[in-house]
Amino acid sequence: MNRFSRYLLREIMPLFVAALVALLLLLMLAALLGVLADALARGVPAGLVARYMLFKLPAAIGPGLPLALLFAALVALTRLGQDGEVKAALLLGVGPSRFAMPVLALGLAVSVVAFLNNELLVPRTERLAGDVERDILLLSPETVLSQGTFFSDALGRSIFIEAIRPGGRFEGVTVITPGTSRGPRELIRAGLGQARPEEGVWLLEGIRFQSLRDSGITLDIAASEATLPVRGLTARSSAVGDLVYLPLPELLARIRSTGDANAPAERTALQRKFAEPLAAAAFALFAVALGLYTFRSGANIGFVAAMLLTFVYYATWSVTKLLGAQGTVPPWLAAWTPVALYAFGGLFLLALARRR
């Protein structure tokens, strides 16, 4: 690596680290002000909340790495043009390719790191975060749950809660024990419930127990109260988790096993696994092209414009991934559209800069 390439990287890297830290703080703060702020207010230990935030950090790093590179490269390269350093380098015989190569190499390196993080680290930390969330659930159920939420416990039973009250109290609890394809094996309904986290159980009141066979009731009894073990309880929100966090072999197996021939959510996640890390390389190309274009045209791209260009990707990414998961647009189009916008935008700006 020559001296000029090292100089470019020294200009970009401090901004890259600062932008990444700022993005991570914003993403983690958003999570903390949501569910976890209520958890702290209800007496959940701060150490448990800190563990949850630590395990959620790799999932925030995934989209944060490319976005931080985009912002850092835009600010650094446009500053070089505005201060006349690009002009001085060209006068000394440094060609445009010498600007592009180190930045593109950095973009590819960030893409590789982002892919490895998403594939190797995030699936494990997401499972650990789920374990911590279950601990928070046992200590303060109303902090994590919402009305109309389904759960599954260690015995494979499905649990539905109709309403949640302060102090770990529930109303309208339904417990379904799965059976065959013809219907469930057991059905328990309770009018009221009370969490006993220190004992690892829920105390149910006003119980109706039914045993079923081939969708027919074979036993129907009532009881005033009973206890329901909740160790190994797994929160199963009505919102589907982000499938991109699944390891690649597991995601491919899920696509093959699904009954839906299209499987838009799974196929969109598969495309995103490669598109989102490669966004860093597209951002590097776009930043180089914009830096050369602003130098030759005399335009001024400031701090606010760099933030706006960074936000445009995040907004486009948020919308297209949702449309792809719903099957509104093809999975490949949903995953690659935000990346293609910056890649083709960079090529277009390079063509304009060359003409000038």
Side-chain angles (χ1 to χ4, degrees), residues 200-229:
V201 299
W202 289 354
L203 178 63
L204 303 181
E205 301 178 5
I207 299 170
R208 180 84 176 271
F209 173 83
Q210 293 177 330
S211 179
L212 302 97
R213 180 179 297 174
D214 296 335
S215 301
I217 298 176
T218 59
L219 180 64
D220 190 348
I221 59 176
S224 58
E225 64 179 31
T227 57
L228 177 71

Side-chain angles (χ1 to χ4, degrees), residues 27-50:
L27 292 172
M28 304 310 286
L29 182 62
L32 186 62
L33 293 178
V35 173
L36 298 181
D38 191 33
L40 289 172
R42 295 181 185 277
V44 176
L48 200 60
V49 175

